Amino acid sequence: MTEPDAGTGPGTYPVPGAAPRPGAGGGVLRWLHRARRMSGRERWRRYTVSTMYFLALFEAVLIGVWLDNTRDDMGPAPFAIVFVLLLGHLTMQIKLSLSAPFLGAAGPTGRLLALHLAVVSALLAAALALRAADRLDPTELGPFLVWVLMFAAGPLVLALPLRRGGVVVAGLCAATLLAALVIGPRENWLLTTAITTALGAPFIGITYRASAWGVKLVDELDDARAVQARLAVAEERLRFGRDLHDVLGRNLAVMALKSELAVQLAQRGRPEAADQMAEVQRVAQESQREIRAVVRGYRAADLHAELAGARAVLRAAGVDCEVDDTDLTAPGRRGEVPERVQSALAWVVREGTTNVLRHADARMCTVSLRVADGGAQLVMDNDGAPDAEPGTPADGAGLTGLRERLAAVGGTLSAQRRTGGRFRLAARIDLEAS
C-alpha cells in the first residue's frame, strides 16, 4: 500500500503537477516564492539594486579579461597592485551606489566619497604609470581608461546631487585624458578614448540616476496609494457621521417632544398619552430602519415624504407650518427634477426641520420649492431665530454636511439670520449641472 508523504495529513497523497509548498524544492524555487510575496515597491528596489550589482560584475569581467591579456606585459608586482586596486574600486562602487538618497539611504559620507575618488584615481594613475613605463600599449590603455571612467560615473552621479556629481565626473575624466595626452603618444587611440568616454560616462551616469529615480517614483506612488486609501476611509467616516446626524437629529427631537407631551398627558390622566408613546415607538423603529440603511449605504431621502413629515412634526410642536411645493407636484413638473436633486433637497428639509425643533422658538415656518430658470430652489423661513445681527451667517455640523451633499450635485446653501428674528435656509441646485 502506498504510504503518504511525510509531513502531510493522514490519508493525503502527493498530487502530480501540484504547486510546490513554500520552502520546497531548490534555492531557485525558494527565491521565486519569496519574490512573489514581495510588494511592488520592494520588487522594483531589488531589481534596481541587482542591476547595479550586475553592472559592477560586468565591469569586473571586462577588466578581468583585460588583466589576463596584459599580465605578461605588466609584470607580477604591477599586476598585483592593479588587481588589488580593482577590487577596492568595485567595492567602493557598490557601497557608494547603496548610499544614494534615491534608494532610501542618508547619502554618502565625505569619507566614503573621498575614499572612492582616491581608489579610482589610484587605479587610473597606475594604468597611466604603466603606460609611461612602456609596459602598456596605447591600444591597451584606451579601453581600460574608458571602462573605469564610464563605470565610476554611475555611482558618483547617483550618490551626489546631479550638478555636483556631473562636475566631479567631468573633472575626473578631463584630468585623466589630459594626463594621457601628456604621456602620449598623440595618436588616434587618444581621440577614440576621449570620444568614447564623453559618450559612455554620461550614459552610465544617466542610467544610474534614472533607475534610482524610478525607485523614488514607485515609493512615492505606493505612499500616495496608502494616503488615498486613508482619505477614502476618512471620507467614508465623514459620510457615515453626517448621515447619522441627519437621520437621528430630527427623529430624536420628535421622540423628545412626543415623550414630553406623553408625560404631561399621563400626569393629567389623559388616555392620549398612550397614543403619543405609540408614536414615539414608531419613530424609534423608523430610526432603527434608517440607521441600518445608513450602514449599508443605500438610503436616499424622499423629498415629498420629508415635506409631509416636516409639516406634521412642526404642527405637532405648535409651529404653524405651510408648505408650497406646487412647482414640483403640478402635472408634468415632477419629472423635471432628477431623483438625486430631490434627495439632496430632502436632506435640506430634514436638517431645517431639526434646527427649528432644536434651536428655534418659532411660531411660524414656511417651506417653498420653486423650479425656474434651470434650477430648483428650496427656502425654509422661520421666526424663531435668537437675537443676532441681521445677515449673520449660521454654521454647524449639520449645515456643513448639507453643503457637502449639495456640492456633490452642483448646489449651494445659504443660512442667514434676518430682521425680525427670522432665519432663512435656502438651497439652490442647477439642474443642468446636476
Side-chain angles (χ1 to χ4, degrees):
M1 185 174 181
T2 305
E3 294 295 331
D5 275 357
T8 58
T12 59
Y13 296 87
V15 179
R21 299 185 302 274
V28 175
L29 292 179
R30 286 195 296 270
W31 182 86
L32 290 175
H33 176 70
R34 287 196 301 268
R36 284 196 298 267
R37 297 176 63 183
M38 293 179 186
S39 62
R41 68 191 300 177
E42 184 62 25
R43 288 183 185 180
W44 185 255
R45 184 181 296 274
R46 292 287 183 91
Y47 165 77
T48 302
V49 173
S50 300
T51 302
M52 295 176 182
Y53 281 115
F54 172 78
L55 289 175
L57 178 62
F58 184 62
E59 181 187 8
V61 171
L62 286 177
I63 300 182
V65 173
W66 180 86
L67 284 173
D68 185 63
N69 293 332
T70 59
R71 176 187 301 182
D72 296 336
D73 296 334
M74 286 191 291
F79 175 82
I81 293 174
V82 172
F83 182 77
V84 172
L85 289 174
L86 175 61
L87 292 180
H89 164 65
L90 295 175
T91 303
M92 290 297 103
Q93 292 274 79
I94 295 174
K95 289 181 68 67
L96 191 63
S97 298
L98 297 181
S99 69
F102 281 110
L103 297 179
T109 61
R111 182 178 179 181
L112 177 61
L113 183 61
L115 185 59
H116 176 265
L117 289 175
V119 172
V120 173
S121 301
L123 187 59
L124 294 170
L128 291 170
L130 289 171
R131 173 68 197 112
D134 203 20
R135 292 194 179 187
L136 283 179
D137 292 335
T139 55
E140 294 174 335
L141 177 63
F144 180 84
L145 297 180
V146 171
W147 294 335
V148 173
L149 291 172
M150 184 172 64
F151 286 103
L156 287 172
V157 174
L158 176 64
L160 294 174
L162 184 58
R163 181 175 299 179
R164 187 185 306 173
V167 171
V168 172
V169 171
L172 184 63
C173 293
T176 303
L177 294 174
L178 182 61
L181 178 63
V182 171
I183 293 173
R186 301 179 182 180
E187 298 175 350
N188 291 335
W189 73 270
L190 186 56
L191 178 61
T192 302
T193 301
I195 294 176
T196 308
T197 303
L199 295 176
F203 173 76
I204 294 296
I206 293 174
T207 300
Y208 267 72
R209 188 86 175 190
S211 298
W213 182 54
V215 172
K216 182 181 179 182
L217 288 181
V218 171
D219 289 345
E220 291 178 350
L221 178 61
D222 199 62
D223 293 340
R225 287 177 176 174
V227 172
Q228 185 180 19
R230 289 195 296 269
L231 289 176
V233 172
E235 183 179 358
E236 182 62 19
R237 288 174 177 172
L238 288 175
R239 182 200 67 81
F240 187 76
R242 183 180 63 219
D243 286 356
L244 283 180
H245 175 276
D246 293 342
V247 167
L248 294 179
R250 189 202 65 173
N251 289 352
L252 289 177
V254 172
M255 292 169 63
L257 178 67
K258 293 288 185 180
S259 59
E260 182 181 357
L261 180 59
V263 168
Q264 295 178 359
L265 292 175
Q267 291 174 345
R268 299 173 185 174
R270 301 284 297 275
E272 290 88 346
D275 296 335
Q276 296 299 324
M277 290 308 300
E279 183 68 13
V280 170
Q281 182 183 21
R282 184 193 65 79
V283 174
Q285 293 172 346
E286 180 183 351
S287 299
Q288 288 179 333
R289 289 193 300 270
E290 290 184 337
I291 289 176
R292 286 193 294 267
V294 167
V295 173
R296 297 187 183 96
Y298 295 138
R299 183 177 54 84
D302 181 80
L303 178 57
H304 296 277
E306 291 299 330
L307 289 172
R311 178 165 43 201
V313 168
L314 291 176
R315 287 181 176 176
V319 180
D320 185 13
C321 180
E322 298 294 335
V323 176
D324 182 7
D325 59 345
T326 54
D327 276 14
L328 193 64
T329 57
R333 299 298 300 274
R334 184 167 185 171
E336 294 182 7
V337 182
E339 290 186 4
R340 60 197 306 257
V341 174
Q342 293 191 37
S343 179
L345 293 177
W347 286 112
V348 178
V349 174
R350 174 167 289 193
E351 178 63 22
T353 304
T354 301
N355 289 340
V356 172
L357 292 173
R358 282 185 174 180
H359 310 302
D361 184 18
R363 295 185 301 274
M364 183 269 295
C365 179
T366 61
V367 183
S368 63
L369 179 65
R370 294 285 180 265
V371 180
D373 300 328
Q377 182 173 2
L378 176 72
V379 178
M380 294 188 67
D381 270 315
N382 72 83
D383 60 354
D387 294 336
E389 184 70 20
T392 303
D395 206 350
L399 296 179
T400 300
L402 283 181
R403 289 189 176 93
E404 294 173 358
R405 290 183 184 277
L406 293 174
V409 293
T412 58
L413 180 76
S414 65
Q416 287 187 338
R417 297 176 177 87
R418 304 169 67 85
T419 57
R422 302 185 65 83
F423 183 84
R424 170 168 292 184
L425 182 66
R428 176 176 174 81
I429 301 177
D430 188 352
L431 299 180
E432 295 180 358
S434 62

